[in-house]
């Protein structure tokens, strides 16, 4: 079964959105580098890498279905935030937005009666639960340390342990 044009376009748009996610987290990583928080910078760098992996899943799937990958311009991410809490709040907001997009894609696949795409997207539904949770966990820890410099120092070290 051929990918419908509508679904092919929507999958290409999501590929772009995943690349934007990588760009956004890389921008956050650069912000943390500039703020002297190398651990948080590393955490965001690992997150950006994961997003490239998401983008490649869409890239491969469109090709597998004999569709055509059309790369689009990736929009500029922000460069500045109001502090550590703001960064992670924006990251959570972004992940919630991505979850909504995946749900919308699921709805479209269902409407187009494309069961293969529906199944492909199931991985992302689960992944989004993880994505939102991992940012929420960091936000919970930020709340715990409040404004304590020692707390931030230790949290930065902890987040810097993330490799993947
Ligand atoms: Fe962060 O999950 Fe993809 O975008």
């Amino acid at each position: 079964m051929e990918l419908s044009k509508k679904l092919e376009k929507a999958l290409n748009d999501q590929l772009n959105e995943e690349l934007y996610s990588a760009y956004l987290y890389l921008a956050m990583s650069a912000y943390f580098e500039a703020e002297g928080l190398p651990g948080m910078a590393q955490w965001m760098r690992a997150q950006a890498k994961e997003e490239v992996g998401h983008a490649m899943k869409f890239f491969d799937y469109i090709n597998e279905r004999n569709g055509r990958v059309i790369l689009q311009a990736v929009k500029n991410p922000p460069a500045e935030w109001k502090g550590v809490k703001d960064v992670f709040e924006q990251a959570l907001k972004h992940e919630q937005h991505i979850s909504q997009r995946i749900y919308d894609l699921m709805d479209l696949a269902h409407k187009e009666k494309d069961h293969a795409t529906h199944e492909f997207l199931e991985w992302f539904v689960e992944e989004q639960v993880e994505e939102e949770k991992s940012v929420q966990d960091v936000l919970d820890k930020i709340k715990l340390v409040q404004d304590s410099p020692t707390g931030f120092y230790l949290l930065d070290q902890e987040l810097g342990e993330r490799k993947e």
Side-chain angles (χ1 to χ4, degrees):
M1 185 181 148
E2 288 243 334
L3 259 187
S4 74
K5 284 290 155 209
K6 216 171 169 182
L7 209 41
E8 182 184 63
K9 165 85 173 69
L11 291 167
N12 267 299
D13 288 349
Q14 189 58 31
L15 195 173
N16 179 269
E17 192 76 21
E18 298 294 342
L19 289 174
Y20 174 73
S21 300
Y23 234 37
L24 175 65
Y25 295 134
L26 211 48
M28 289 173 168
S29 179
Y31 171 80
F32 284 138
E33 287 286 355
E35 292 292 303
L37 292 160
M40 294 187 190
Q42 164 59 25
W43 195 94
M44 282 296 174
R45 194 189 173 106
Q47 185 66 25
K49 214 170 143 194
E50 201 176 296
E51 297 298 354
V52 175
H54 291 174
M56 291 315 292
K57 278 187 188 282
F58 282 96
F59 184 97
D60 290 339
Y61 180 71
I62 296 167
N63 284 325
E64 257 173 48
R65 291 292 307 277
N66 219 11
R68 181 74 168 89
V69 169
I70 304 284
L71 295 177
Q72 305 162 35
V74 182
K75 68 176 187 231
N76 287 354
E80 297 299 338
W81 286 270
K82 290 194 289 269
V84 172
K85 194 164 161 245
D86 185 37
V87 174
F88 283 96
E89 277 172 353
Q90 294 308 316
L92 181 60
K93 225 169 123 192
H94 180 69
E95 288 303 333
Q96 288 164 343
H97 156 77
I98 294 293
S99 300
Q100 187 56 57
R101 286 192 60 106
I102 298 290
Y103 292 171
D104 292 347
L105 265 176
M106 279 284 227
D107 288 346
L108 181 62
H110 189 71
K111 227 173 103 200
E112 304 276 309
K113 297 189 172 26
D114 191 323
H115 298 290
T117 300
H118 202 271
E119 205 178 296
F120 164 73
L121 290 168
E122 266 163 18
W123 184 88
F124 282 93
V125 172
E126 264 181 56
E127 176 69 5
Q128 280 313 117
V129 174
E130 281 304 307
E131 290 284 83
E132 287 187 32
K133 183 183 182 300
S134 67
V135 183
Q136 186 62 60
D137 284 352
V138 178
L139 272 171
D140 290 346
K141 285 177 184 164
I142 290 170
K143 252 181 233 150
L144 276 179
V145 298
Q146 305 261 8
D147 286 328
S148 146
T150 318
F152 266 113
Y153 176 75
L154 292 174
L155 183 57
D156 186 64
Q157 282 201 327
E158 184 191 321
L159 295 184
E161 280 162 22
R162 176 175 178 182
K163 295 286 170 270
E164 294 291 321

